[in-house]
Amino acid sequence: MQKGASIRSAGAGLRLLRQSGGHRASPQQENRRATQAARTAPGDPGATHIMLNFILRKLALLIPTIIGISICAFAFVRVLPGDPILAMAGQHGVTPERYEILREQFGYNLPIWQQYFNYLGAVLQGDFGVSLATKRPVINEFMALFPATMELAFVALFFAVAVGIPAGIFAAIKRGTWFDQLTMGVALTGYSMPIFWWGLLLIIFFSGYLGWTPVSGRIALTFFLKPITGFMLIDTLLYGNWPAFVSALRHLILPAIVLGTIPLAVIARQTRSAMLEVLGEDYVRTARAKGLSPRRVVNVHALRNALIPVVTTIGLQVGLLMGGAILTETIFTWPGIGKWMIDSIFKRDYVVVQSGLLIIAMIVMAVNLIVDLLYALINPRIRVQ
Amino acid sequence: MKSMKTLMAATAMLALAAGAAQAKQLVYCSEASPAHFDPGPVTGGNDFDASAHTIYERLVEFAPGSTEVIPALAESWEISEDGTEYTFHLRPGVKWQTLPYFTPTRDLNADDVVFSFERQWKEDSPWYNYLEGMTWDYFQGMDMPKYLSSIEKVDDLTVKITLTEPNSPMLANLAMQFASIVSKEYADQLEASGDLASFSTQPVGTGPFQLVDYQLDTVIRYQAFPDYWDGKQPIDDLIFAITTDASVRAQRLLAGECDIMPYPAPADLDALRANENLVVQEQEGLNIGYISYNTTEAPFDNPEVRKALTMAIDKAAIIEAVYQGAGQDAKNLIPPTMWSYDDSIEADVYDPEAAKAALEAAGVTDLTTDLWAIPVSRPYNPNGQRVAELIQADWAKVGVTANIVTYEWTEYRERGKQADRKGPFMIGWTGDNGDPDNFFATLFSCSAIGVSNYSSWCNEDFEAAISAAKTTSDQEERTALYTQAQEIFKAEEPAITLAHSRVFMPMNKKVLNYVMSPLGSHSFKDVDVQE
Amino acid sequence: MTVSNEPVPTSTKPVSGLREFWFYFSVNRGAVIGLTVFTILVLLAIFAPLVAPHSPDIQYRDALLRPPMWDANGDPRFILGTDPVGRDILSRLIHGARYSLFIGFFVVVGALFVGVILGVLAGYFRGWVDVVIMRIMDIILAFPSLLLALVLVAILGPGLFNAMIAIAIVLQPHFARLVRAAVMAEKNREYVTAAKLSGAGHFRLMLVTILPNCLGPLIVQATLSFSNAILDAAALGFLGMGAQPPTPEWGTMLASAREFIIKAPWVVTFPGLAILVTVLAINLIGDGLRDALDPKLKRS
């Protein structure tokens, strides 16, 4: 997905949902609720039971969705223009006899519903098919490339959190000052950024003009480390190879900044508004009135409570970032699943497109489920609704 | 920052020093990931570079930098008088690579050669279909099943190939990548263990380099094969850093992340040439970008109309705007580097006035037509859309309205083959083996209609000339026949021959002895790196 | 969903509501700037043929890839330079504004239309209608949006119109969810019950009574979708799946000039800048709208 758009729209949609419509709660109220939740002690005897119920209910809802997703992924590929068998052949084409044999081999001659059930049956046994281009199992390719995307997404998120939260906090504390206005202006600009263009500009400047950062790849080619986890930063540390670690980090900087730009903007804005709300709360005023130092008020009281809604925002970004690396990976030729998917769409590698869509959708759903559960954990009112 | 880089590089070297002392390394920024490492079924130039030109070798090879066929795994050969029997004498003592997954017990022999062809030919071989949905694209495409009668082992070091009829391009075909020689002993080992698919991911060859590791879509690592029959290579490690975007490749080369790269974007050439650490080798490409009229569709069935429309196109502008100067006006179907090229043919002239008059004379006014634009960038045509936009503007000046149409690439070619296709169709060709037959017969013979003759053009005289040229082995006679074919082609204009693109190979100055192949392959045999 | 006891933010006095809205909106300096820029863009788009110095399609073969006017090699005829086939970049950008605004408008209208209908149906009737509609929305949302749009465009065939359809499909679940939640919350409130008792039909109830009460968030979401649509269309264009050249759509212009990123940075820089400025202006307006339409935020 375009990380930008989906983060924006889904994030915004959720924010709106919470602040309007459903329970007509502004983010401020939401924060208040979350703070209340944080204040109620866990360990309430009924709570575990309700929580379990909630989880089961959520899981039950997932099953029709997953079936729907598998039908969609399967159907999309069937209606794609082009012919998978011709796509495999090169500039010389393929003879009609051979064409028929191949059609049979792939089961493309069977009725469509039978093709679907064969596919579903194979997927349930963990067989996602074999790539038309490389003849390797799709799941192997996915597992080989997924860590690269995960690593990029995590570092991007880390960057977004590490910069976004402090920026949001200071903007809230210095509300109305030039700092606040500048920060929020920059945040809104980041939020409006066509990131494919942003990435190109950063490459021109930092790699082309200044020569500070590598142009593409995950690590300098001098280093040859057999992957252990597939996460370059972790692997280099496991090997105890410090220069390799530094090299991997340098390769990550630009893509992570590009991928992290929009989450950073979202997080900074969210943190600021959550902070503003909490700073206006009675207990914070009380703390202030008691003569506690402003720093202590911010650190101990306001921050802890303000961060709860921010944490769920961050959670939402994870799911969206994971699928959201298509543009970043394309620009930086980062060997991850985003680039893998788009290449496969262009190459008409039908099996990869179909199974890739399915796997990615399931991962997004899993992450959303975890975020939902976390949210319910800190906000008990959701569970009983 | 510079010093930090140096420092880091130094520490990196130290870290590696424990393993291999002062390994000489060459980094090639390749343009795409290989599908796998079996050169038989694959079709892409990048696939061949990663397997056929590193790991594997053939009976005969194209000499570096030319299309001349020279001995390789076969030391010598004889061709019978009637041109149907080829006897190859194998080079003795050629070692197979020893790898963690295979230890050879014998040298290359005739069994390997027979197996290498029969696996692509005999449908009852378990290897004919060892990967799901595979096709032996080139073996079929070069019509090998039609021409092959038998491949026999005469003795351990002698193989006899018998043809059904004489076919002069055959020797050149055997130098093509699909004809790579693979190990029968290794295949038998895999067959015994039931793991046939590994043949494509864990290759064993006789070539100058052996595979060390492939990280999907990222990097391929090779090392020099120590027991290579022609002596160990000057470099120790060969690395393919897969970088699909041309501008990024150029950036990596400029930044010193790689030593050599293929297919620079024409727009980057100035910057690459200007860099003092780099040299840019260049060469005429063995290709042609052309636009096929449908010669069965009115008014394109009239040669005068076709010639008039060609005359209305400002080819120089296309070559400047699309090929960025990296192309050369094509006046013939075959490129000028190919033997039998007829230099006496007049180049197309750009004359909108005359074109308009000619169209009117032929009774063509207010013509509206589709114009098919290639949806992808190909070596022979870097940007089909832009070519179409330029032609659209040119034709508008002579009163012809062109609507640009395009489809997904496989769909595009399929629709283009239809006999009732409307409008001129942009396409091109890259030579397979350096033989003119590979252009004339493949693209414009009568039997290629519906396959790769996008003009649906069948001309008796042209057909007679190229058929005769195919069965004659006398090169002078063939040249005369092909010259005749080129004259007919120009008089009939079944297609607009747009341009032959030039091919560039930018590299670091420390790369020594790299020779560009006219066939577009990238081989690093005998390449050295200056310390 | 919990029922809150907050007052309904509808205007009892509609006229003063509008005035109040404008008051809160105009307080926000950013929003006013955004609105000004946006108005200029709309005017440029409408009067493009009059404003643009050249036709967007004329190829000046004597001036391929000219740098902007202020560069030493610049040509005063072409203020922002020319592209690889010699077309004036400024003129193409001005004409491109038409496409981007049209894309945003069309996508929002389409997504709004479908999303509101689905959301109202789901929220009002509940039961299996709700289950089916919301599961379909879940399925759409489970796919990363750009990826789904890419696949849809690959199916429909690359092109501006198909790209807009794909983006509208991908964006509409947000409207559906929003409206459904609002309808569910409003459905049992006194004024709705009262209307029901007085004999209002389903249709009238939904369209006349309930919908206007969730207009605020819908408008904000529509603004967000407007900017998202422009960005998504540009991203699709950038990946070669959106508007096809020679259409002067900004993303497509950027993509077809990408190879010149080093040799001629201006052909890449200006279209991107145009996208950024447009999206930023719309988002500024969106922020202003949210502040003005959500009374609870006004306190803070």
Side-chain angles (χ1 to χ4, degrees):
Chain A
M1 94 182 38
Q2 189 207 14
K3 56 187 151 323
S6 41
I7 288 164
R8 254 183 294 248
S9 40
L14 256 149
R15 226 169 39 234
L16 280 165
L17 246 183
R18 286 182 192 146
Q19 87 193 40
S20 61
H23 32 86
R24 293 206 155 271
S26 67
Q28 282 74 11
Q29 279 178 298
E30 204 49 57
N31 299 347
R32 206 174 303 143
R33 248 178 240 151
T35 40
Q36 277 158 6
R39 271 180 247 143
T40 39
D44 167 8
T48 352
H49 179 68
I50 296 172
M51 196 62 206
L52 201 68
N53 240 331
F54 175 79
I55 294 175
L56 288 178
R57 220 160 2 109
K58 280 270 167 198
L59 283 176
L61 277 180
L62 281 187
I63 292 169
T65 315
I66 290 176
I67 293 176
I69 287 171
S70 71
I71 294 176
C72 280
F74 178 82
F76 284 158
V77 170
R78 302 299 125 166
V79 292
L80 267 180
D83 186 309
I85 292 170
L86 293 177
M88 280 184 284
Q91 85 174 357
H92 295 281
V94 56
T95 61
E97 304 85 55
R98 184 77 192 140
Y99 182 86
E100 279 311 313
I101 295 171
L102 288 173
R103 247 169 74 83
E104 221 161 283
Q105 236 177 54
F106 283 100
Y108 290 144
N109 54 339
L110 296 174
I112 196 90
W113 56 270
Q114 202 173 337
Q115 289 186 38
Y116 172 71
F117 283 111
N118 288 350
Y119 176 63
L120 197 65
V123 164
L124 287 177
Q125 290 164 27
D127 174 9
F128 285 88
V130 173
S131 157
L132 296 181
T134 69
K135 320 290 180 202
R136 257 189 298 263
V138 174
I139 191 72
N140 291 6
E141 298 206 336
F142 180 84
M143 294 311 281
L145 299 173
F146 188 54
T149 300
M150 283 280 278
E151 183 167 50
L152 174 59
F154 274 132
V155 175
L157 198 61
F158 177 79
F159 160 73
V161 169
V163 180
I165 290 189
I169 291 172
F170 283 114
I173 295 174
K174 312 254 178 212
R175 183 167 183 222
T177 62
W178 64 268
F179 179 83
D180 180 26
Q181 287 180 350
L182 183 73
T183 312
M184 286 304 110
V186 170
L188 197 68
T189 310
Y191 186 69
S192 312
M193 192 63 88
I195 55 158
F196 45 92
W197 178 69
W198 177 224
L200 292 177
L201 287 192
L202 289 181
I203 292 181
I204 296 179
F205 190 69
F206 286 103
S207 304
Y209 183 66
L210 294 176
W212 285 3
T213 48
V215 182
S216 88
R218 295 183 67 192
I219 192 166
L221 295 158
T222 353
F223 303 103
F224 174 32
L225 309 170
K226 274 265 178 197
I228 304 172
T229 61
F231 291 85
M232 212 48 100
L233 292 179
I234 298 177
D235 283 358
T236 50
L237 287 181
L238 286 177
Y239 280 108
N241 193 335
W242 185 246
F245 177 80
V246 174
S247 167
L249 202 60
R250 280 163 47 91
H251 282 79
L252 261 168
I253 291 174
L254 284 192
I257 288 177
V258 170
L259 187 54
T261 297
I262 284 160
L264 165 63
V266 173
I267 289 171
R269 283 157 61 90
Q270 176 85 22
T271 307
R272 176 177 175 272
S273 72
M275 266 312 272
L276 280 181
E277 174 63 17
V278 175
L279 285 175
E281 292 271 346
D282 295 343
Y283 69 97
V284 175
R285 285 201 213 113
T286 317
R288 270 195 189 141
K290 278 197 298 194
L292 289 178
S293 74
R295 176 172 295 188
R296 194 171 157 72
V297 170
V298 169
N299 277 350
V300 178
H301 295 273
L303 199 54
R304 206 185 50 201
N305 290 316
L307 283 186
I308 290 170
V310 175
V311 166
T312 56
T313 310
I314 296 171
L316 283 169
Q317 312 292 320
V318 179
L320 296 161
L321 274 176
M322 284 208 303
I326 286 189
L327 291 171
T328 316
E329 289 181 2
T330 304
I331 295 163
F332 290 94
T333 50
W334 187 263
I337 51 169
K339 188 166 178 308
W340 178 61
M341 280 304 286
I342 192 166
D343 286 350
S344 301
I345 292 174
F346 281 117
K347 273 193 298 202
R348 288 295 189 265
D349 194 329
Y350 290 75
V351 183
V352 170
V353 174
Q354 166 177 312
S355 293
L357 277 174
L358 184 61
I359 298 173
I360 291 170
M362 300 225 291
I363 290 173
V364 171
M365 281 184 24
V367 174
N368 284 349
L369 180 71
I370 293 170
V371 173
D372 269 5
L373 294 182
L374 282 178
Y375 193 69
L377 209 62
I378 52 176
N379 189 351
R381 299 180 65 171
I382 287 277
R383 277 177 256 160
V384 270
Q385 80 72 7
Chain B
M1 215 56 210
K2 266 255 144 51
S3 62
M4 184 174 164
K5 244 186 199 164
T6 333
L7 184 70
M8 272 173 29
T11 29
M13 289 310 275
L14 273 178
L16 279 179
Q22 292 292 311
K24 262 197 200 177
Q25 170 180 288
L26 179 75
V27 181
Y28 168 61
C29 270
S30 65
E31 78 278 22
S33 310
H36 53 72
F37 296 93
D38 184 346
V42 295
T43 56
N46 57 304
D47 299 319
F48 292 135
D49 292 340
S51 55
H53 299 293
T54 48
I55 299 164
Y56 292 103
E57 290 177 299
R58 288 141 293 280
L59 291 174
V60 290
E61 301 272 4
F62 295 114
S66 88
T67 55
E68 182 201 344
V69 176
I70 56 165
L73 292 179
E75 273 183 319
S76 62
W77 58 89
E78 295 106 39
I79 304 174
S80 67
E81 280 292 305
D82 64 353
T84 58
E85 273 185 25
Y86 289 64
T87 309
F88 290 95
H89 303 284
L90 302 186
R91 189 179 296 278
V94 172
K95 301 275 184 250
W96 288 100
Q97 294 162 358
T98 303
L99 290 148
Y101 42 85
F102 176 68
T103 310
T105 63
R106 60 166 176 81
D107 295 347
L108 169 85
N109 69 20
D111 291 326
D112 296 318
V113 178
V114 173
F115 171 73
S116 299
F117 291 100
E118 288 198 335
R119 69 187 189 123
Q120 311 188 39
W121 182 25
K122 306 280 183 191
E123 292 181 25
D124 53 358
S125 159
W127 291 95
Y128 184 72
N129 216 356
Y130 83 100
L131 294 171
E132 196 177 318
M134 69 190 304
T135 49
W136 301 96
D137 200 85
Y138 268 91
F139 191 80
Q140 299 282 342
M142 301 312 293
D143 279 334
M144 295 296 277
K146 180 178 153 201
Y147 289 113
L148 281 185
S149 167
S150 71
I151 300 177
E152 295 155 81
K153 168 182 182 175
V154 177
D155 60 52
D156 254 9
L157 291 178
T158 314
V159 181
K160 191 170 84 182
I161 298 180
T162 314
L163 305 186
T164 52
E165 56 182 276
N167 178 27
S168 24
M170 181 52 79
L171 199 63
N173 288 357
L174 293 180
M176 286 172 63
Q177 297 95 339
F178 78 90
S180 294
I181 304 303
V182 298
S183 164
K184 181 167 192 318
E185 190 188 10
Y186 178 51
D188 288 344
Q189 177 191 313
L190 289 177
E191 210 176 320
S193 68
D195 180 21
L196 271 62
S198 287
F199 199 82
S200 66
T201 53
Q202 303 189 321
V204 176
T206 59
F209 298 98
Q210 61 190 46
L211 185 67
V212 175
D213 183 61
Y214 171 41
Q215 274 176 300
L216 187 62
D217 291 351
T218 314
V219 57
I220 315 172
R221 287 169 195 276
Y222 304 90
Q223 70 182 50
F225 173 31
D227 300 322
Y228 183 53
W229 61 267
D230 202 12
K232 186 197 157 290
Q233 291 297 303
I235 54 170
D236 300 292
D237 296 316
L238 175 64
I239 296 174
F240 281 26
I242 298 159
T243 316
T244 45
D245 187 274
S247 315
V248 177
R249 272 203 303 281
Q251 290 279 307
R252 288 188 92 162
L253 186 69
L254 287 166
E257 287 174 41
C258 46
D259 304 315
I260 181 165
M261 66 170 269
Y263 310 118
D268 291 333
L269 280 172
D270 289 342
L272 293 169
R273 285 204 184 96
N275 189 292
E276 55 181 13
N277 294 322
L278 305 179
V279 280
V280 180
Q281 282 191 18
E282 59 179 287
Q283 189 176 51
E284 303 298 332
L286 202 66
N287 59 38
I288 173 79
Y290 62 96
I291 301 176
S292 268
Y293 296 109
N294 182 350
T295 56
T296 60
E297 177 200 4
F300 306 106
D301 51 352
N302 180 351
E304 294 312 313
V305 174
R306 300 199 290 259
K307 281 194 269 191
L309 286 172
T310 303
M311 204 190 291
I313 294 175
D314 185 1
K315 283 213 243 169
I318 294 177
I319 288 164
E320 190 187 346
V322 181
Y323 293 82
Q324 310 270 319
Q328 169 187 21
D329 177 28
K331 56 182 185 179
N332 283 316
L333 183 64
I334 54 170
T337 44
M338 190 174 268
W339 60 266
S340 83
Y341 181 79
D342 185 359
D343 209 12
S344 64
I345 298 270
E346 298 254 335
D348 296 320
V349 282
Y350 170 55
D351 188 346
E353 299 301 320
K356 197 167 187 178
L359 282 176
E360 272 162 19
V364 177
T365 46
D366 284 338
L367 176 64
T368 299
T369 177
D370 285 349
L371 174 60
W372 296 63
I374 301 192
V376 289
S377 172
R378 310 296 299 171
Y380 48 74
N381 187 340
N383 192 331
Q385 273 291 348
R386 202 173 292 154
V387 172
E389 287 170 32
L390 290 162
I391 293 180
Q392 189 181 38
D394 285 338
W395 279 356
K397 286 180 203 148
V398 296
V400 176
T401 313
N403 300 314
I404 301 174
V405 290
T406 191
Y407 293 91
E408 181 276 326
W409 182 224
T410 60
E411 179 96 358
Y412 179 81
R413 284 174 294 169
E414 276 312 297
R415 287 182 186 245
K417 288 174 194 167
Q418 308 294 325
D420 58 351
R421 185 199 73 230
K422 300 277 177 246
F425 183 83
M426 201 184 293
I427 191 75
W429 184 257
T430 300
D432 291 315
N433 57 11
D435 196 288
D437 178 70
N438 184 244
F439 279 74
F440 291 111
T442 314
L443 304 178
F444 288 97
S445 66
C446 299
S447 60
I449 292 175
V451 184
S452 46
N453 182 343
Y454 294 95
S455 293
S456 297
W457 183 64
C458 182
N459 179 293
E460 266 175 48
D461 300 334
F462 182 82
E463 188 75 8
I466 60 171
S467 307
K470 190 169 197 160
T471 44
T472 319
S473 50
D474 180 66
Q475 185 145 337
E476 235 168 82
E477 203 177 321
R478 293 186 71 196
T479 305
L481 288 163
Y482 286 131
T483 307
Q484 193 189 335
Q486 285 167 75
E487 278 158 14
I488 301 168
F489 191 93
K490 208 65 223 172
E492 287 281 320
E493 191 77 4
I496 309 163
T497 48
L498 272 184
H500 310 290
S501 76
R502 290 180 73 77
V503 184
F504 297 86
M505 199 75 184
M507 64 193 80
N508 198 298
K509 280 194 175 139
K510 68 180 188 179
V511 177
L512 307 175
N513 308 335
Y514 183 83
V515 182
M516 289 179 77
S517 155
L519 292 161
S521 57
H522 304 106
S523 166
F524 300 97
K525 192 185 166 189
D526 299 333
V527 173
D528 201 352
V529 177
Q530 201 169 37
E531 306 266 357
Chain C
M1 298 283 142
T2 53
V3 178
S4 90
N5 48 6
E6 293 279 331
V8 190
T10 35
S11 37
T12 34
K13 300 162 282 175
V15 180
S16 80
L18 206 62
R19 207 173 280 159
E20 185 188 302
F21 162 77
W22 178 248
F23 171 75
Y24 281 111
F25 186 84
S26 58
V27 162
N28 188 330
R29 224 183 325 147
V32 175
I33 295 174
L35 191 64
T36 316
V37 172
F38 185 73
T39 314
I40 294 173
L41 280 168
V42 171
L43 290 176
L44 276 180
I46 293 174
F47 298 108
L50 301 177
V51 184
H54 302 269
S55 153
D57 298 322
I58 289 188
Q59 301 164 357
Y60 295 90
R61 299 270 167 92
D62 58 331
L64 306 183
L65 274 187
R66 267 314 142 78
M69 201 172 82
W70 55 85
D71 190 281
N73 297 324
D75 183 327
R77 280 184 297 168
F78 310 111
I79 298 174
L80 296 183
T82 61
D83 77 355
V85 292
R87 291 173 298 212
D88 180 46
I89 290 181
L90 178 64
S91 307
R92 288 177 71 71
L93 286 179
I94 292 172
H95 280 265
R98 294 182 149 191
Y99 290 95
S100 284
L101 296 176
F102 176 68
I103 291 165
F105 181 76
F106 177 89
V107 167
V108 167
V109 169
L112 198 67
F113 184 73
V114 179
V116 166
I117 291 180
L118 292 179
V120 167
L121 288 178
Y124 190 82
F125 290 110
R126 304 302 310 269
W128 66 268
V129 178
D130 184 28
V131 171
V132 171
I133 292 177
M134 291 330 281
R135 284 299 77 76
I136 293 175
M137 298 301 116
D138 281 353
I139 291 167
I140 296 177
L141 289 175
F143 294 107
S145 71
L146 185 69
L147 183 58
L148 184 57
L150 263 175
V151 174
L152 290 176
V153 174
I155 292 169
L156 298 169
L160 186 68
F161 189 70
N162 291 340
M164 291 193 294
I165 293 176
I167 297 167
I169 292 175
V170 170
L171 288 179
Q172 73 49 46
H174 300 295
F175 289 101
R177 283 191 162 185
L178 192 68
V179 171
R180 170 181 177 267
V183 169
M184 274 162 45
E186 297 291 326
K187 200 169 76 161
N188 297 319
R189 298 176 77 97
E190 289 119 50
Y191 73 95
V192 178
T193 322
K196 223 186 247 171
L197 284 177
S198 63
H202 287 316
F203 190 72
R204 198 185 139 71
L205 261 180
M206 290 187 286
L207 281 193
V208 181
T209 315
I210 298 180
L211 259 190
N213 285 309
C214 50
L215 218 50
L218 267 184
I219 291 174
V220 176
Q221 178 68 25
T223 325
L224 275 169
S225 299
F226 200 105
S227 54
N228 279 343
I230 292 176
L231 275 176
D232 277 4
L236 285 178
F238 178 73
L239 295 170
M241 299 290 252
Q244 295 300 299
T247 314
E249 195 273 323
W250 295 336
T252 310
M253 283 171 70
L254 220 163
S256 60
R258 196 178 152 193
E259 62 192 276
F260 301 101
I261 179 164
I262 297 189
K263 187 179 176 187
W266 62 91
V267 285
V268 180
T269 312
F270 295 124
L273 205 59
I275 299 170
L276 176 61
V277 168
T278 311
V279 173
L280 185 57
I282 295 166
N283 281 339
L284 281 169
I285 298 173
D287 269 12
L289 283 176
R290 203 192 50 217
D291 291 355
L293 292 172
D294 190 340
K296 275 143 273 145
L297 272 173
K298 288 172 200 159
R299 284 184 326 215
S300 58

